[in-house]
Amino acid sequence: MAYVITQRCCNDASCVAECPVDCIRPRPDEPGFASAELLHIDPDTCIDCGACVEACPVEAIHAEEDLPPGLERYADINAAYFRQHPLDLGITPVTSPVRVSREQGPLRVAVVGTGPAACYAAEHLLGRGEVEIEMFDRLPAPWGLARYGVAPDHSETRGVTTMFASAFKRDAVRFHLNVEVGRDISHQELLGHAHAVIYAVGASGDRRLNIPGEDLPGSHSATEFVAWYNGHPDYADRRFDLSGERAVIVGNGNVALDIARVLTADPDALAGTDIADHALDALRESAIREVVLVGRRGLTHAAYTGPEFLALGRLPDVDVVIDPADLDGIDAILADPATDPAVRLKLTLAQEYSQRPNRGANKRIVFRFRSSPQEVLGEDRAEAIRLCRNEIRDTPDGSVAVPTSDTSDLESGLVLRAVGYRGAPMPDVPFDPATGVIPNDAGRVVDSTGAEQPGVYVTGWIKRGPRGVIGTNRGDAGETVSALVDDFRAGRLATPAGDREELLTLLEQRCPDLVDRDGWNLIDSAERANGAQSGRPRVKFTRAAQLLAVARRT
């Protein structure tokens, strides 16, 4: 028997440190870790101790003989990784991070954001000794993308929030929710009450297609749609036209696959998740029967991960359609023993899907590769999208998609662009508009000249761009916290004039609707109780006024 890592792997890497025989790969210190789609356990080395199971925050690890239905293939996926990357049995020594002593501390840090990147930063700080952490979020509820970005049918992935909530029970961490940095309190005021500020604000914007008709009603960003069905207060009142039979998603990353699943899922199945009630009601009335995912390059460059692609094949009453013509050339790639296992899995699945006989299912998800959007068509609203066929050319810098004159129009009243997120600037903090990130050197914020900004740090997507999964933020935050602690110990951080009690007084004066940890616990308990009545993990409050009303209860 061996343990197996499956689809829900978040790349948190908590399991790596717990494995007594060091048989989980890739490790965070290896070059392939940042781009890994999931971690893997070597079946020939695993001693079946189960330590990794206890460490996994998203319940992604199972004993091989107890793999849930539909996940059996992951036993071979794990083994295949080690056939390509044989295990080096030399165990890497674990070094203890430098700590802040009682004589030096407390180190006071303000963390702007409460999503995974922010929480991993706080977790690393708590492991450094004498620290006091103030966490800020402009919404009345924490957890950022883990609450409002993860697909509702991926409830296990939200398990990281349980880990964070447990770690943050101590008095060293304070929540200041419903507080907007830059409006309610300035960047300089934060520095006046803390040795350092870490910005972990993610990438809340989205990239545009820059084509005619993009702003017609019926054409939206994936950011809006995902936030809508997840109950984000800023998007609860949005309306999406689901009256047509076809939806088109431009992009083929994991977010595009999430949306395709939600649009084609049985609403009765979604009713057991924490999807927003308004979205569930709309999906029950939806007429959409076909979702087309458009990718500008070929199958070998698809942005989705193998585990998410594999999950599509398990959707009941949904056909996954791939044109066999898009498979040209992949036999040679699969025959090459050097082909990366992650690439091999995606190509093998594509072959299988293309060869499946259509079952005449009620709904279908269609992949359309080598196509680019040229225009969203319609008078007063989106009615169709014009696509052109691309020619893929190899260049010294890699393959590129070159538009041709071969165009076609695809009728659709719902067009969603899922071509990537983009960071937004914070007041009084350097920002690079070209890349959409806060410029930095290993987490230390720098200005346009490259000069470091003392006491200002960054982590997560606003640091490195919108790449990686939830767990990728753990190592990223570790780098930032190491730089911060080194600077503190070296005396490079100014001593703040105000302490945390003065900060709290200031916030209470300016923010009468401030939500602290106790207020969030009231919201959390109420949502869970509402969910328990209908067999759901929770029923979210989707309006800020609702959240604040519950937080005020005593």
Side-chain angles (χ1 to χ4, degrees), residues 24-56:
I24 303 177
R25 293 292 188 278
R27 293 184 300 214
D29 59 346
E30 294 178 335
F33 177 79
S35 60
E37 296 182 353
L38 76 161
L39 305 184
H40 310 79
I41 295 174
D42 180 17
D44 294 331
T45 308
C46 175
I47 60 174
D48 314 329
C49 68
C52 56
V53 178
E54 298 299 321
C56 180

Side-chain angles (χ1 to χ4, degrees), residues 291-451:
V291 179
V292 179
L293 291 94
V294 178
R296 64 186 179 88
R297 295 200 289 176
L299 177 62
T300 55
H301 297 96
Y304 52 71
T305 61
E308 293 300 321
F309 195 38
L310 175 59
L312 288 187
R314 300 196 301 270
L315 292 175
D317 201 27
V318 177
D319 281 331
V320 179
V321 180
I322 292 180
D323 187 342
D326 286 322
L327 302 175
D328 290 347
I330 73 167
D331 285 340
I333 299 173
L334 290 173
D336 184 351
T339 296
D340 184 83
V343 174
R344 184 180 300 278
L345 173 62
K346 290 194 283 188
L347 297 183
T348 301
L349 288 171
Q351 275 191 333
E352 294 176 4
Y353 292 153
S354 71
Q355 294 167 2
R356 282 184 182 179
N358 287 339
R359 297 168 293 173
N362 185 39
K363 298 177 183 179
R364 57 191 226 149
I365 296 173
V366 180
F367 285 82
R368 186 158 175 168
F369 295 101
R370 303 176 189 174
S371 298
S372 291
Q374 298 298 294
E375 183 177 359
V376 178
L377 305 171
E379 292 295 329
D380 300 321
R381 59 164 297 101
E383 299 173 1
I385 184 169
R386 178 162 294 160
L387 303 174
C388 79
R389 189 71 172 172
N390 293 329
E391 178 184 327
I392 309 301
R393 296 178 185 172
D394 292 327
T395 72
D397 297 324
S399 64
V400 296
V402 180
T404 69
S405 59
D406 181 6
T407 63
S408 59
D409 296 344
L410 200 59
E411 290 186 7
S412 178
L414 179 64
V415 177
L416 300 170
R417 61 179 183 273
V419 292
Y421 293 95
R422 180 177 174 80
M426 293 294 298
D428 302 320
V429 179
F431 183 74
D432 182 354
T435 59
V437 302
I438 294 175
N440 67 95
D441 180 6
R444 295 181 176 94
V445 172
V446 299
D447 64 16
S448 59
T449 70

Side-chain angles (χ1 to χ4, degrees), residues 94-108:
V94 177
T95 57
S96 299
V98 175
R99 293 175 60 84
V100 176
S101 68
R102 183 164 298 178
E103 294 74 22
Q104 296 169 315
L107 165 62
R108 296 204 296 275

Side-chain angles (χ1 to χ4, degrees), residues 111-152:
V111 180
V112 183
T114 60
C119 291
Y120 280 121
E123 182 187 59
H124 280 292
L125 284 166
L126 289 172
R128 296 303 187 107
E130 293 293 311
V131 297
E132 294 174 351
I133 304 168
E134 317 292 333
M135 300 191 73
F136 294 82
D137 201 299
R138 71 176 186 85
L139 294 176
W143 315 138
L145 205 62
R147 176 177 169 93
Y148 294 119
V150 174

Side-chain angles (χ1 to χ4, degrees), residues 435-505:
T435 59
V437 302
I438 294 175
N440 67 95
D441 180 6
R444 295 181 176 94
V445 172
V446 299
D447 64 16
S448 59
T449 70
E452 291 183 7
Q453 306 297 289
V456 190
Y457 301 84
V458 66
T459 188
W461 279 3
I462 196 65
K463 170 187 176 183
R464 66 181 189 274
R467 301 185 303 275
V469 293
I470 285 177
T472 311
N473 293 297
R474 192 182 195 199
D476 188 55
E479 178 186 59
T480 295
V481 168
S482 291
L484 190 160
V485 172
D486 288 347
D487 290 346
F488 177 70
R489 285 170 51 86
R492 291 192 286 266
L493 302 183
T495 300
D499 61 20
R500 67 187 328 200
E501 298 308 322
E502 291 171 312
L503 173 63
L504 181 58
T505 298

